Amino acid sequence: RKESSAASDVYKRQAPLLLLIALASALMLAGALVAQHVFGWEPCTLCVQIRLWLCLTAVIALLLSAASAARQTWLAVLLWPLLLAASGMALVDNAHVTLIELGVMESFSCSPFPFYYQVLPLHEYWPGVFMSGGVCGMNDYQILGLPFTVWTLASIAGLFALVLFTLWRSIRGTR
């Protein structure tokens, strides 16, 4: 009975945060799609990869919330590393494209995985989301005087911090 209560407490503590992670990821993806389809901002290959990581982050956060609600600890243990990896890769890819754009880093290939689309052809299934038309480092898009990639980097860094905080609360709650 005591274990059941502890598991319920952990779920109650992390469920709103996991749902916030999923919502934040979905809103960032929606913002990118609005920028592309309403304002005509073409995403580069790395930006499209970031979209994939955001989609995965949202889905994994929802699955993790469901696993926690169902008290499937074994599944939660498997999903946490995936959530960390997806949100962490979004941050790494965004930092990469920001460094290229600011001229701090040169790159011959926009993406560290330039041929991923041959293995995972998402651009064929959802071209409006996963089709790349821009060139990395050639971003003229600004909001309030700062490059769009700086804003996305700050947003994704905040998302990753939220993932880490949620994990910390989850681990702390199981002791």
Side-chain angles (χ1 to χ4, degrees), residues 134-147:
V135 177
C136 285
M138 309 267 308
N139 178 5
D140 295 330
Y141 315 123
Q142 294 193 353
I143 300 173
L144 299 175
L146 290 175

Side-chain angles (χ1 to χ4, degrees), residues 17-76:
L17 295 173
L18 288 168
L19 295 176
L20 182 60
I21 290 166
L23 179 63
S25 299
L27 287 174
M28 282 187 253
L29 179 60
L33 293 173
V34 166
Q36 178 182 356
H37 296 291
V38 174
F39 298 113
W41 297 4
E42 288 297 327
C44 66
T45 304
L46 213 43
C47 296
V48 169
Q49 281 181 205
I50 294 166
R51 291 177 182 190
L52 174 60
W53 298 127
L54 288 174
C55 287
L56 290 173
T57 298
V59 168
I60 295 166
L62 291 174
L63 289 173
L64 192 50
S65 181
S68 296
R71 294 185 175 92
Q72 298 297 316
T73 306
W74 66 272
L75 185 55

Side-chain angles (χ1 to χ4, degrees), residues 92-153:
V92 167
D93 281 353
N94 204 140
H96 184 182
V97 76
T98 302
L99 291 173
I100 292 170
E101 181 180 303
L102 295 176
V104 175
M105 178 180 186
E106 286 190 36
S107 181
F108 297 107
S109 172
C110 182
S111 169
F113 313 107
F115 304 108
Y116 76 93
Y117 63 87
Q118 293 173 351
V119 177
L120 190 65
L122 293 175
H123 63 285
E124 292 176 10
Y125 305 118
W126 294 315
V129 177
F130 296 109
M131 181 67 74
S132 171
V135 177
C136 285
M138 309 267 308
N139 178 5
D140 295 330
Y141 315 123
Q142 294 193 353
I143 300 173
L144 299 175
L146 290 175
F148 183 70
T149 52
V150 171
W151 290 104
T152 59
L153 181 60

